[in-house]
């Protein structure tokens, strides 16, 4: 038999959590596990701007032939403008270009392949903790993965420890940063922190790879790009991965981009030739539908404005849920202990609950979250905040 030595590996822990949630007969259960945005009805809706763009495409799309290795040209330009700013000098000087990828995950994988093939010997440094897929994706391409501290044992962002550790990163290594809405913690760098990280990056000649998966979910579409744009202005070279899964609600359409920034237009052509070659062996050419939707939206002022309003609506709902949960915890004497939930950004919160407390919440209260204590705040039903706060108080 060919397959007899193949063992079973454990499934993704979030997917097993989703299964356990689905099996739980309790009608008052809470799903704070999986990382998708949910509206007041508990649904992950198709945005109106997306529906309108899809109708337009249905009527006007003339062909389903392959797009190029870098994807749709309009998508690449518009997503680069969204990330770097419409007036970015990098775009004017053709120092930045996007390669369309299957989601942000595809962009990260392509970045990993690029580093492994074109920058041999470079290690990559991830925040501790980080999104678990960062750990596996870069290990998978053969990069040496190391960590810098990010959140201390007191569940607070420890900028000093982070900067101190960055001073020891070998020259030329790759530094992965989350642009905003850090997954899993929700703790983001402040502007002065970005500036200090930039100083270390320059001094140690590191190559930043910025993962931008939640643009618009933190403080706003432009506000969330502050650190990315600072680095793009100040550094000759930079890699950025952008995901359209959350802010366009296009999760299953697998839409994203790897944006390479180089110190001149000539070098961009070299880098992009390598990226197209690597992508050819990964997925050949990227999936089109989501990117065509994004290009349709961003290329039409009315649709773009409708979409920006929808992103703002999702962003403010998450901010209100954060504030509401802290308020609901107050009568239990827990407002101070969980004040950080109101300060964090994006869908996720490192609550500070221990794995044992998470287990008890699941077993005794039907509240589902990952064992690290990460809760998807965007998964909460606003009308049930008091109920959730009471459940948390029972295990604290
Ligand atoms: C930090 C981070 N990066 C990248 C991604 C990639 O998202 P996708 O591949 O769905 O676009 C995610 C999704 O959860 C994420 O949390």
């Amino acid at each position: 038999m060919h397959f007899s030595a193949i063992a079973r590996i454990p499934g993704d822990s979030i997917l097993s959590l989703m299964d356990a949630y689905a099996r739980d007969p309790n009608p008052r259960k809470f799903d704070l596990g999986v990382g998708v945005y949910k509206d007041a009805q508990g649904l992950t809706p198709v945005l109106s701007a997306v529906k309108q763009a899809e109708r337009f495409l249905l009527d006007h799309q003339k062909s389903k032939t392959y797009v190029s290795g870098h994807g749709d040209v309009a998508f690449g330009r518009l997503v680069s403008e969204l990330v770097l700013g419409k007036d970015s000098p990098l775009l004017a000087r053709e120092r930045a270009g996007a390669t369309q990828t299957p989601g942000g995950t595809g962009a990260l994988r392509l970045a990993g392949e690029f580093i492994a093939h074109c920058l041999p010997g470079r290690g990559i440094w991830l925040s501790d903790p980080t999104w678990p897929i960062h750990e596996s994706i870069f290990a998978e391409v053969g990069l040496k993965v190391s960590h810098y501290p990010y959140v201390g044992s007191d569940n607070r962002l420890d900028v000093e420890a982070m900067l101190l550790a960055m001073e020891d990163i070998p020259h030329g290594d790759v530094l992965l940063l989350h642009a905003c809405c850090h997954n899993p913690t929700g703790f983001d760098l402040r502007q002065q922190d970005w500036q200090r990280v930039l100083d270390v990056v320059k001094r140690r000649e590191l190559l930043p790879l910025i993962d931008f998966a939640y643009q618009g979910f933190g403080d706003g579409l432009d506000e969330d790009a502050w650190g990315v744009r600072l680095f793009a202005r100040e550094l000759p070279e930079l890699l950025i991965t952008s995901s359209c899964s959350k802010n366009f609600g296009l999760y299953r359409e697998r839409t994203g981009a790897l944006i390479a920034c180089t110190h001149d237009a000539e070098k961009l052509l070299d880098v992009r030739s390598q990226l197209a070659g690597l992508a050819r062996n990964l997925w050949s050419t990227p999936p089109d539908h989501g990117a065509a939707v994004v290009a349709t939206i961003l290329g039409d002022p009315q649709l773009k404005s409708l979409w920006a309003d929808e992103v703002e609506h999702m962003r403010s709902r998450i901010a209100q849920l954060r504030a509401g949960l802290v308020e609901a915890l107050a009568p239990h004497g827990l407002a101070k202990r969980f004040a950080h939930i109101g300060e964090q950004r994006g869908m996720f919160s490192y609550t500070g609950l221990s794995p044992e407390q998470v287990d008890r919440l699941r077993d005794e209260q039907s509240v589902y979250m990952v064992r690290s204590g990460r809760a998807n705040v965007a998964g909460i039903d606003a009308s049930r905040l008091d109920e959730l706060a009471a459940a948390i108080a029972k295990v604290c």
Side-chain angles (χ1 to χ4, degrees), residues 102-105 108 131 134 178 183 211 213-214 243 245-246 254-255:
T105 310
L108 287 160
W131 185 46
H134 286 152
H178 297 228
N183 181 4
D211 184 1
Y214 298 93
S243 164
S245 300
K246 310 287 157 50
R254 312 308 301 133
T255 312

Side-chain angles (χ1 to χ4, degrees), residues 139-260:
E140 195 73 31
V141 295
L143 298 185
K144 177 169 187 263
V145 176
S146 311
H147 299 89
Y148 57 88
Y150 195 70
V151 167
S153 53
D154 58 351
N155 197 33
R156 292 275 177 278
L157 176 61
D158 194 344
V159 176
E160 299 309 322
M162 174 185 83
L163 289 165
L164 196 66
M166 284 178 180
E167 293 289 356
D168 287 332
I169 299 181
H171 280 269
D173 268 9
V174 179
L175 178 67
L176 188 137
L177 299 161
H178 297 228
C180 68
C181 307
H182 184 274
N183 181 4
T185 69
F187 288 112
D188 280 350
L189 300 180
R190 297 161 304 169
Q191 294 188 356
Q192 61 266 39
D193 303 327
W194 277 103
Q195 196 71 57
R196 292 174 74 193
V197 174
L198 176 67
D199 291 343
V200 183
V201 164
K202 283 183 177 171
R203 215 169 30 250
R204 302 207 58 79
E205 295 171 351
L206 307 178
L207 173 62
L209 165 57
I210 307 185
D211 184 1
F212 206 178
Y214 298 93
Q215 185 172 6
F217 273 31
D219 290 317
L221 285 164
D222 287 319
E223 290 83 347
D224 291 348
W226 195 90
V228 173
R229 293 178 189 174
L230 171 76
F231 274 44
R233 258 196 325 273
E234 293 281 328
L235 293 169
E237 293 167 328
L238 177 66
L239 295 172
I240 306 158
T241 57
S242 165
S243 164
C244 303
S245 300
K246 310 287 157 50
N247 52 8
F248 286 86
L250 282 169
Y251 308 84
R252 66 172 67 160
E253 300 297 352
R254 312 308 301 133
T255 312
L258 172 60
I259 301 174

